[in-house]
Amino acid sequence: MRRSEVLAEESIVCLQKALNHLREIWELIGIPEDQRLQRTEVVKKHIKDLLDMMIAEEESLKERLIKSISICQKELNTLCSELHVEPFQEEGETTILQLEKDLRTQVELMRKQKKERKQELKLLQEQDQELCEILCMPHYGIDSTSVPSLEELSQFRQHVASLRETKASRHEEFVNIKRQIILCMEELDHTPDTSFERDVVCEDEDAFCLSLENIATLQKLLRQLEMRKSQNEAVCEGLRAQIRELWDRLQIPEEEREAVATVMTGSKAKVRKALQLEVDRLEELKTQNMKKVIEAIRVELAQYWDQCFYSQEQRQAFAPYYAEDYTENLLQLHDAEIVRLRNYYEVHKELFEGVQKWEESWRLFLEFERKASDPSRFTNRGGNLLKEEKQRAKLQKTLPKLEEELKARIEMWEQEHSKAFVVNGQKFMEYVMEQWEMHRLEKERAKQERQLKNKKQTETEMLYGSAPRTPNKRRGLAPNTPGKVRKLNTTTTSNATANSSIRPVFGGTVYRSPVSRLPPSGSKPVTTSTCSGKKTPRAGRHGANKENLELNGSILSARTFKGFQI
């Protein structure tokens, strides 16, 4: 049994005791029955009124709780709808009082969430408005009257964060472009003349609108300034090149050149003005020194002719080069020709450098070929011969490769330009083949000359005998030995015959044989030694010391004659 029920029973018992006690008092006093009845009615009425009042109060409380429950449920449903959450559901059966308390607590919680979301939405909207004004972008589309969901708030936060990153990147780009624009303006001595340029250069960086249009306009302005700067630099470089060229042509002393050294760098407006003044001054000097300038240009023309491998016909085609009437017109013709040649050389510089490399390699190759045929190279010291041979072998490998590479490049060039690449008035490969052919003919001629020389020497030796090849001091120290004799067809001669020709060793008369000598083309007989105890002469020594005479199949020593010294 509940305690409230026990208390109710105790209340009834107390009421019964109270009524009994009243009856006892009334009995002792002697109150008549009708008065007792009246008094009991008063007690009953008093107790009933009190209980009715208490019941009414409790009923009122119940009504208030029910009403509060209804109000809370309605508000809670509205908040759940606004906050985009599931409606509140009470778990299990509960009393009116507990239900009202739970609903009221949940409503307070929902109200707090709604307030927080509205505050965050307001803050995000303020940030979005500020960033969009700087970036000149439309505001984020969200209903400010409704309560945003958690997902909507998350997307809004990401959008604001993206705007911050965009602002940072555009601001950095703006600062970099602004710095470059200021440098270009300083270089060009340019002052801002438009409202946009003044906004960029003079206004606060944070106040500049970082819209895509403004950034694009900034980039366009920077490109325009850089183009003007590049053009100004090109003009200044052209003026400097013109000044250097005029200095060289006019042979301006170094002291005068150093006077304008300060304007030989940079491209500001004042530098350009100073360069133009110097050019004007030099042009005036050029007019006054026409002959000297034209002769200087001709020297430069000759250098370009050499670099471009011009033939004599191509050089003679420029008739003003040989004119002696030094006028302004002649100077203009020379200037135009030097500009044409300079451009022609620059366009084909790689090919000309390749041809020049081949020319140098070819000259080195011919030098090695000349040294290879020089007998004196074997007397070298310090390993020079070995180095030359290595270089020569390397050059023999690289020269054909260089020719093939040049051939491919020239063929490609000729296809692109639809004309022949000419070196010294002829096609390069024809020129190369001609050089090889000339080299081959030169080697053939040298070979024929050596053969002719050897043939004449052989004929002379057959007629007069060979000259001694050993030094005289070694001859004088050697003891007198019997002359060596050679056998021809098993016939040995040791005495002088009537058909012999004798050459003195230490001077004297040479006695010519009346018998005609054999022709040089006659075959040489095979000889053997018949001297006992003597070594057979070596073939190399026999070939080197041709001191015997061949006459009618007989051989007579030219150094000794058996029985006496010549």
Side-chain angles (χ1 to χ4, degrees):
M1 183 180 289
R2 296 179 179 179
R3 292 184 63 185
S4 59
E5 294 177 352
V6 173
L7 287 174
E9 290 180 356
E10 289 180 354
S11 298
I12 294 173
V13 171
C14 288
L15 181 60
Q16 187 68 36
K17 286 182 178 181
L19 289 173
N20 291 334
H21 191 196
L22 285 173
R23 282 195 301 269
E24 289 176 356
I25 294 173
W26 291 339
E27 189 69 33
L28 290 174
I29 294 174
I31 295 175
E33 183 64 24
D34 55 343
Q35 293 183 359
R36 291 181 184 181
L37 182 61
Q38 292 177 355
R39 291 180 184 271
T40 304
E41 286 292 334
V42 171
V43 171
K44 175 185 175 184
K45 184 178 181 299
H46 184 72
I47 292 173
K48 185 177 180 299
D49 291 341
L50 179 62
L51 290 175
D52 289 342
M53 184 182 66
M54 291 180 64
I55 290 172
E57 289 179 354
E58 295 300 322
E59 285 289 341
S60 176
L61 176 61
K62 185 184 75 170
E63 293 296 331
R64 288 199 307 272
L65 289 175
I66 292 173
K67 184 178 180 180
S68 175
I69 289 173
S70 177
I71 294 173
C72 288
Q73 284 180 339
K74 290 181 180 179
E75 185 176 359
L76 188 61
N77 291 333
T78 303
L79 290 172
C80 289
S81 176
E82 290 177 344
L83 297 175
H84 304 282
V85 296
E86 294 293 331
F88 176 76
Q89 296 290 338
E90 186 69 26
E91 295 180 359
E93 295 183 0
T94 182
T95 62
I96 295 176
L97 184 63
Q98 185 65 39
L99 178 60
E100 193 272 341
K101 181 180 179 182
D102 292 343
L103 289 174
R104 184 162 36 84
T105 303
Q106 191 68 24
V107 166
E108 291 176 356
L109 179 62
M110 291 292 183
R111 287 174 180 171
K112 183 179 179 180
Q113 289 184 7
K114 177 180 178 180
K115 182 179 180 181
E116 290 176 350
R117 292 190 189 183
K118 295 286 284 185
Q119 288 178 346
E120 185 177 4
L121 175 62
K122 182 179 180 181
L123 179 62
L124 290 174
Q125 285 179 330
E126 291 175 355
Q127 296 175 358
D128 176 71
Q129 182 177 0
E130 179 184 356
L131 292 171
C132 288
E133 288 177 357
I134 295 175
L135 299 175
C136 295
M137 296 176 64
H139 297 292
Y140 186 75
I142 189 170
D143 186 7
S144 59
T145 59
S146 63
V147 181
S149 65
L150 293 176
E151 183 180 358
E152 290 174 340
L153 285 176
S154 176
Q155 292 177 354
F156 201 179
R157 282 193 295 267
Q158 292 177 1
H159 174 72
V160 171
S162 174
L163 289 180
R164 288 199 189 97
E165 293 178 358
T166 304
K167 176 189 173 183
S169 63
R170 290 188 187 180
H171 185 266
E172 182 180 1
E173 184 178 5
F174 164 69
V175 171
N176 292 333
I177 296 176
K178 177 181 177 180
R179 182 173 61 252
Q180 297 178 47
I181 287 174
I182 293 175
L183 291 175
C184 289
M185 287 184 174
E186 292 177 353
E187 186 75 18
L188 296 170
D189 289 338
H190 175 76
T191 56
D193 52 4
T194 64
S195 59
F196 182 78
E197 292 179 0
R198 286 190 291 271
D199 290 342
V200 172
V201 177
C202 305
E203 296 297 328
D204 184 17
E205 293 180 355
D206 295 332
F208 186 79
C209 180
L210 300 175
S211 65
L212 289 175
E213 182 180 0
N214 283 352
I215 295 296
T217 308
L218 272 177
Q219 294 173 346
K220 182 179 179 181
L221 175 61
L222 178 59
R223 287 194 298 270
Q224 291 174 350
L225 292 174
E226 287 179 341
M227 184 178 298
R228 288 176 55 188
K229 180 181 175 183
S230 300
Q231 292 173 351
N232 201 47
E233 289 175 350
V235 171
C236 290
E237 282 302 318
L239 292 173
R240 292 189 187 99
Q242 192 174 355
I243 288 173
R244 295 189 189 96
E245 184 178 357
L246 290 172
W247 278 350
D248 295 337
R249 290 180 180 178
L250 297 172
Q251 298 180 0
I252 300 297
E254 196 65 30
E255 295 78 11
E256 291 187 28
R257 301 186 184 191
E258 292 177 356
V260 293
T262 54
V263 297
M264 294 306 288
T265 56
S267 59
K268 292 186 176 181
K270 58 181 181 180
V271 173
R272 178 177 177 178
K273 184 177 180 181
L275 290 172
Q276 187 62 53
L277 290 175
E278 179 65 11
V279 168
D280 295 340
R281 185 184 72 86
L282 293 173
E283 287 289 344
E284 182 66 25
L285 286 176
K286 183 180 73 172
T287 305
Q288 298 173 3
N289 299 271
M290 192 71 65
K291 180 178 179 181
K292 185 178 179 181
V293 173
I294 291 177
E295 289 177 349
I297 296 177
R298 286 176 176 176
V299 172
E300 190 175 356
L301 270 176
Q303 292 176 354
Y304 274 111
W305 282 344
D306 293 338
Q307 290 177 345
C308 296
F309 300 95
Y310 262 38
S311 64
Q312 192 63 31
E313 293 77 8
Q314 289 176 298
R315 301 184 187 207
Q316 291 175 354
F318 183 62
Y321 184 85
Y322 307 95
E324 296 183 358
D325 185 14
Y326 300 100
T327 62
E328 182 68 25
N329 185 37
L330 185 65
L331 177 60
Q332 292 177 359
L333 292 174
H334 279 73
D335 282 334
E337 182 66 13
I338 200 69
V339 170
R340 186 189 68 82
L341 271 178
R342 187 183 293 119
N343 294 335
Y344 178 74
Y345 176 76
E346 290 299 326
V347 171
H348 310 93
K349 185 176 181 180
E350 293 185 0
L351 284 179
F352 287 135
E353 288 179 350
V355 174
Q356 182 65 31
K357 183 178 179 182
W358 181 88
E359 286 276 2
E360 294 172 357
S361 301
W362 178 252
R363 283 194 293 269
L364 187 60
F365 172 75
L366 294 180
E367 180 66 18
F368 285 147
E369 288 287 302
R370 184 189 63 78
K371 290 182 179 180
S373 61
D374 186 4
S376 63
R377 70 191 183 109
F378 293 104
T379 61
N380 80 99
R381 295 293 185 269
N384 292 333
L385 180 60
L386 181 59
K387 294 179 183 178
E388 289 180 5
E389 285 299 321
K390 288 183 178 179
Q391 293 177 356
R392 184 167 176 262
K394 181 180 179 181
L395 196 60
Q396 286 177 338
K397 293 180 180 179
T398 58
L399 196 58
K401 292 181 180 179
L402 180 60
E403 291 174 3
E404 290 297 325
E405 179 182 350
L406 279 174
K407 180 181 178 182
R409 290 167 58 185
I410 288 173
E411 288 178 352
M412 186 180 301
W413 182 91
E414 290 178 344
Q415 291 177 359
E416 292 177 357
H417 295 80
S418 300
K419 62 179 181 179
F421 184 79
V422 178
V423 173
N424 291 332
Q426 63 182 138
K427 290 186 176 181
F428 175 71
M429 293 312 300
E430 294 178 358
Y431 172 74
V432 171
M433 297 303 297
E434 180 180 309
Q435 296 300 314
W436 279 106
E437 182 63 20
M438 290 173 62
H439 174 60
R440 186 189 66 79
L441 294 176
E442 180 64 22
K443 289 180 67 175
E444 190 69 26
R445 184 189 61 79
K447 179 180 178 181
Q448 292 177 0
E449 287 181 355
R450 288 196 304 272
Q451 291 177 349
L452 182 60
K453 182 178 179 181
N454 292 338
K455 181 178 179 182
K456 290 181 179 179
Q457 183 178 358
T458 303
E459 291 176 356
T460 303
E461 289 177 353
M462 291 179 64
L463 181 60
Y464 303 110
S466 61
R469 296 181 181 271
T470 55
N472 290 335
K473 62 180 181 179
R474 295 181 63 186
R475 280 183 188 275
L477 295 175
N480 293 336
T481 56
K484 296 180 181 179
V485 296
R486 298 184 180 182
K487 183 182 294 184
L488 179 62
N489 295 333
T490 67
T491 303
T492 304
T493 60
S494 59
N495 298 324
T497 63
N499 295 329
S500 64
S501 201
I502 303 173
R503 178 176 58 85
V505 176
F506 301 102
T509 304
V510 177
Y511 299 93
R512 302 181 183 273
S513 172
V515 183
S516 61
R517 56 186 174 83
L518 292 175
S521 60
S523 60
K524 294 183 180 180
V526 180
T527 59
T528 57
S529 175
T530 58
C531 301
S532 60
K534 303 292 183 178
K535 293 183 180 180
T536 304
R538 291 176 296 173
R541 187 67 179 172
H542 169 66
N545 299 322
K546 296 180 180 180
E547 298 173 350
N548 298 322
L549 301 177
E550 182 181 346
L551 298 174
N552 295 332
S554 300
I555 298 175
L556 181 63
S557 173
R559 293 182 60 187
T560 59
F561 192 82
K562 190 171 183 179
F564 63 95
Q565 183 74 29
I566 302 288

